[in-house]
Amino acid sequence: MIAFAILIFLFLGSVEGFSTKSQPCTYDKEKMCKPALATAIFSTVSFLLGAITSVLSGFLGMKIATYANARTTLEARKGVGKAFIVAFRSGAVMGFLLAANGLLVLYIAINLFKLYYGDDWEGLFEAITGYGLGGSSMALFGRVGGGIYTKAADVGADLVGKVERNIPEDDPRNPAVIADNVGDNVGDIAGMGSDLFGSYAESSCAALVVASISSFGINHDFTGMLYPLLISSVGILVCLITTLFATDLFEIKVVKEIEPALKKQLIISTILMTVGIAIVTWIGVPSSFTIYNFGVQKVVKNWQLFLCVGVGLWAGLIIGFVTEYYTSNAYSPVQDVADSCRTGAATNVIFGLALGYKSVIIPIFAIAISIFVSFSFAAMYGIAVAALGMLSTIATGLAIDAYGPISDNAGGIAEMAGMSHRIRERTDALDAAGNTTAAIGKGFAIGSAALVSLALFGAFVSRAAITTVDVLTPKVFIGLIVGAMLPYWFSAMTMKSVGGAALKMVEEVRRQFNTIPGLMEGHAKPDYATCVKISTDASIKEMIPPGALVMLTPLIVGTFFGVETLSGVLAGALVSGVQIAISASNTGGAWDNAKKYIEAGASEHARTLGPKGSDPHKAAVIGDTIGDPLKDTSGPSLNILIKLMAVESLVFAPFFATHGGLLFKIF
């Protein structure tokens, strides 16, 4: 944080040579705006605010999750309904905390910055973009580091414990079991939380930057200007009402009601939110206003703005349900993958990969339609508020998402504490529902990342004063190709890190099984601390190269090749990153649930493939192990790659526009 804060200050301060004189405004040369040095100082401050909020959110989320998982195990003694309520409510606490923190800090920052900037809204909201950068840069480390941590432990525990030694999952004899349980909190709670917080902060910043040069900014209409924040605040109220449906209005009595209850949450929050957006748009936005669209003013009606937010909101729901269809073992895609395990691991892998590629089709159409509708109505502002629409039910989305790891760990605690088989069955049922809904959360995160980075891309293009991005110019095209390659390079780094760390973990677990006398019989205790240390060291060391790749690319490209090439890189990374992210997380989710389908043996078909320890089950475990880094490390981290590069380019846009393109200036 400190290193990057200094970079922001030096780069942005050097735009006007650290002068304290007022400068002509970017969009209206007759007016005078605050000096570039002020932008540098305030951008640095807002970067630190965003980063601290993000870290704090992850920390509090993990604290809540660790309190909640033991409580969930205890409640499971009374029945599945009671355990569900504890797990869901603790997820909801995290969801609300994150949505409210993000909103509160952003609102306070805007009001404090206003004391200095006064009527110079263009400068004020440009400085606020640092907030999104701070949120996302911490999310990158939470997601990548957390993903490497959890999957190294998970793969190590599964390969030796389940495949080689045939002992149950979360068995206390397995040395990697503690690291595995800690990892769930690190990757799924802290990583997911800071990731969605980053999305939220960036889409708000993109909308504010685009609006600051519209009629809201020119007429100083503060309410209209803060429309993006109003959407989020209504979202918090809507999600509060929605939570009551899961915990107070409908009580869960049997296992099969869990998954429908979680899915109802998404539908109810989306319907209520549509009404909420209509009210806020009608009250808070003038009946017509103008938006700056690449050099021309575009008149937008308030009902068109409502449709932009609505289209993002409903596209999110569609992506969520398509993800669920491809990753839940209640439907045919995953059952086909499970069936393919009969002929071994190779066919399982082939079927899983095919499923992942196929699952990209509908989400991409949903994103494409929402981009087309929102852009035709309100240009780049439309896309930014569509992204906010998709994220407006973030509190519910996070509640459902955090519920998964909490119930997973509750099962681990039940197994390690030697509680009765019945309790383990209940926590497993909670976990199976959580697995599917976690995939829905990832779908949301990836879909919103696509819209957010496009909105940021638009804000960057107008801030860097590029009128058109022409693919036929060599400068842009080389950027496009390199940008499309970056997600592959990034995925390679993260998967290799998981592989390397898992290798060390497997060796350590094998060593303990072979050298500690009485470990398999349960007379001796394994050395858990060494396995935790392997995961911790690997995650901290291995997250630096992928992090550096993402953080340094925009700086290097912008400085040496200029804004046109950088716009190509951003477009290329966005286009290829979204596809890989969706297919990777759905493939991994499908393999995981195919394994659970065989293990649960709930249907006649599943019983023909089982039981645990049979050849099809072993093939399914191998598929699940390959899918682990895909669904929990590479896939979800890619959405941070596409957002972070875009928001970083936007923050450094003044520097690139003034001093960028050194190589082309030389030749």
Side-chain angles (χ1 to χ4, degrees):
M1 269 160 64
I2 293 166
F4 213 72
I6 294 167
L7 264 184
I8 293 174
F9 178 72
L10 293 177
F11 269 69
L12 293 180
S14 65
V15 172
E16 296 287 327
F18 296 98
S19 87
T20 48
K21 286 203 292 289
S22 295
Q23 53 175 7
C25 299
T26 316
Y27 301 102
D28 186 354
K29 297 292 180 201
E30 276 134 45
K31 284 189 188 158
M32 293 306 276
C33 283
K34 295 285 189 244
L37 189 63
T39 309
I41 294 167
F42 282 101
S43 293
T44 311
V45 171
S46 59
F47 165 76
L48 291 171
L49 276 177
I52 292 164
T53 314
S54 182
V55 169
L56 197 68
S57 304
F59 173 75
L60 291 172
M62 281 171 68
K63 217 169 174 48
I64 294 160
T66 9
Y67 278 129
N69 47 30
R71 291 179 186 184
T72 307
T73 317
L74 285 175
E75 288 296 310
R77 295 184 302 182
K78 298 175 193 163
V80 80
K82 293 269 190 284
F84 170 79
I85 288 180
V86 171
F88 182 76
R89 278 191 180 151
S90 40
V93 173
M94 182 193 165
F96 287 116
L97 226 155
L98 224 135
N101 263 351
L103 190 62
L104 184 69
V105 177
L106 188 55
Y107 182 70
I108 293 171
I110 290 172
N111 280 304
L112 289 178
F113 286 15
K114 232 174 114 204
L115 297 176
Y116 169 78
Y117 276 100
D119 285 347
D120 174 15
W121 283 19
E122 189 190 295
L124 163 64
F125 289 106
E126 193 171 294
I128 284 288
T129 49
Y131 184 72
L133 177 62
S136 236
S137 50
M138 292 305 112
L140 176 74
F141 297 113
R143 254 304 190 203
V144 176
I148 293 168
Y149 188 111
T150 173
K151 290 303 117 184
D154 201 357
V155 171
D158 279 1
L159 282 180
V160 184
K162 280 194 200 162
V163 179
E164 291 178 12
R165 296 281 171 162
N166 262 340
I167 58 174
E169 193 162 2
D170 296 318
D171 190 298
R173 291 172 292 178
N174 192 334
V177 70
I178 301 276
D180 184 11
N181 283 339
V182 174
D184 285 338
N185 286 327
V186 183
D188 290 342
I189 302 259
M192 183 70 181
S194 47
D195 177 8
L196 280 175
F197 168 74
S199 271
Y200 163 74
E202 283 154 348
S203 49
S204 304
C205 291
L208 290 168
V209 169
V210 178
S212 66
I213 47 171
S214 68
S215 61
F216 296 143
I218 297 157
N219 305 335
H220 294 99
D221 173 3
F222 197 55
T223 312
M225 191 65 217
L226 291 188
Y227 178 66
L229 302 191
L230 287 173
I231 297 175
S232 311
S233 18
V234 172
I236 294 179
L237 294 176
V238 163
C239 293
L240 250 171
I241 299 165
T242 311
T243 330
L244 298 177
F245 281 92
T247 53
D248 296 75
L249 298 178
F250 304 119
E251 204 177 323
I252 286 176
K253 297 195 174 58
V254 285
V255 167
K256 62 172 185 292
E257 289 174 0
I258 299 172
E259 211 171 298
L262 290 170
K263 283 195 297 200
K264 269 188 215 141
Q265 291 285 298
L266 288 173
I267 299 167
I268 294 167
S269 62
T270 305
I271 293 168
L272 291 177
M273 192 63 206
T274 311
V275 179
I277 295 166
I279 296 167
V280 161
T281 312
W282 185 58
I283 296 172
V285 179
S287 57
S288 79
F289 56 95
T290 57
I291 284 289
Y292 196 77
N293 179 24
F294 300 122
V296 281
Q297 293 288 0
K298 181 182 173 70
V299 177
V300 182
K301 302 268 188 293
N302 59 4
W303 61 267
Q304 291 176 314
L305 195 58
F306 160 71
L307 285 177
C308 293
V309 185
V311 89
L313 178 67
W314 284 90
L317 188 69
I318 291 166
I319 293 171
F321 279 125
V322 170
T323 310
E324 193 232 358
Y325 174 71
Y326 280 106
T327 54
S328 166
N329 52 28
Y331 304 106
S332 60
V334 172
Q335 291 173 8
D336 290 347
V337 172
D339 195 57
S340 70
C341 294
R342 282 196 296 212
T343 46
T347 40
N348 179 22
V349 171
I350 294 167
F351 269 71
L353 288 172
L355 175 144
Y357 296 148
K358 197 172 162 190
S359 70
V360 174
I361 302 167
I362 300 171
I364 292 297
F365 277 121
I367 292 170
I369 292 165
S370 45
I371 288 171
F372 181 76
V373 171
S374 47
F375 191 84
S376 10
F377 280 151
M380 276 302 170
Y381 188 60
I383 291 176
V385 291
L388 269 171
M390 198 179 274
L391 288 164
S392 58
T393 52
I394 179 174
T396 297
L398 263 169
I400 290 173
D401 208 75
Y403 156 87
I406 289 169
S407 23
D408 187 1
N409 274 352
I413 291 169
E415 181 76 47
M416 287 190 281
M419 292 169 87
S420 79
H421 186 61
R422 206 173 67 251
I423 293 174
R424 179 71 213 224
E425 274 176 4
R426 285 174 187 162
T427 56
D428 275 356
L430 292 173
D431 181 28
N435 241 357
T436 308
T437 49
I440 296 178
K442 290 188 183 105
F444 259 92
I446 295 164
S448 64
L451 290 177
V452 169
S453 53
L454 185 60
L456 290 165
F457 177 67
F460 162 72
V461 168
S462 53
R463 178 60 191 88
I466 311 170
T467 40
T468 49
V469 178
D470 183 1
V471 185
L472 296 174
T473 54
K475 269 187 197 177
V476 176
F477 196 76
I478 57 167
L480 207 59
I481 287 189
V482 171
M485 173 273 295
L486 287 173
Y488 289 93
W489 188 1
F490 181 81
S491 300
M493 280 175 156
T494 48
M495 289 185 72
K496 194 155 185 275
S497 301
V498 172
L503 194 72
K504 286 189 193 132
M505 188 68 80
V506 168
E507 284 168 354
E508 175 57 29
V509 176
R510 271 188 194 148
R511 182 193 71 75
Q512 291 198 27
F513 273 128
N514 294 333
T515 58
I516 298 176
L519 180 58
M520 268 308 275
E521 295 74 37
H523 302 317
K525 255 189 155 178
D527 172 13
Y528 299 119
T530 310
C531 292
V532 173
K533 190 174 173 356
I534 290 174
S535 258
T536 313
D537 292 351
S539 66
I540 291 170
K541 199 170 87 222
E542 300 282 359
M543 72 184 174
I544 296 168
L549 174 72
V550 180
M551 303 284 271
L552 296 177
T553 301
L555 291 178
I556 293 168
V557 174
T559 309
F560 292 108
F561 298 94
V563 280
E564 283 98 340
T565 310
L566 181 54
S567 61
V569 168
L570 295 179
L574 166 61
V575 169
S576 84
V578 172
Q579 327 278 346
I580 306 172
I582 296 175
S583 70
S585 42
N586 289 353
T587 296
W591 276 326
D592 190 358
N593 278 339
K595 177 200 73 175
K596 286 206 163 61
Y597 176 73
I598 295 173
E599 286 177 352
S603 67
E604 191 52 50
H605 174 237
R607 283 193 285 277
T608 60
L609 300 169
K612 282 186 183 181
S614 63
D615 285 344
H617 177 247
K618 281 186 175 162
V621 171
I622 290 171
D624 174 35
T625 311
I626 299 170
D628 272 339
L630 284 172
K631 80 173 188 325
D632 286 328
T633 313
S634 300
S637 304
L638 280 172
N639 51 39
I640 299 177
L641 167 117
I642 51 183
K643 291 182 309 197
L644 186 55
M645 281 172 45
V647 73
E648 195 180 322
S649 307
L650 174 60
V651 170
F652 287 101
F655 175 81
F656 298 147
T658 320
H659 302 301
L662 292 178
L663 287 179
F664 293 129
K665 283 175 186 165
I666 295 166
F667 298 120

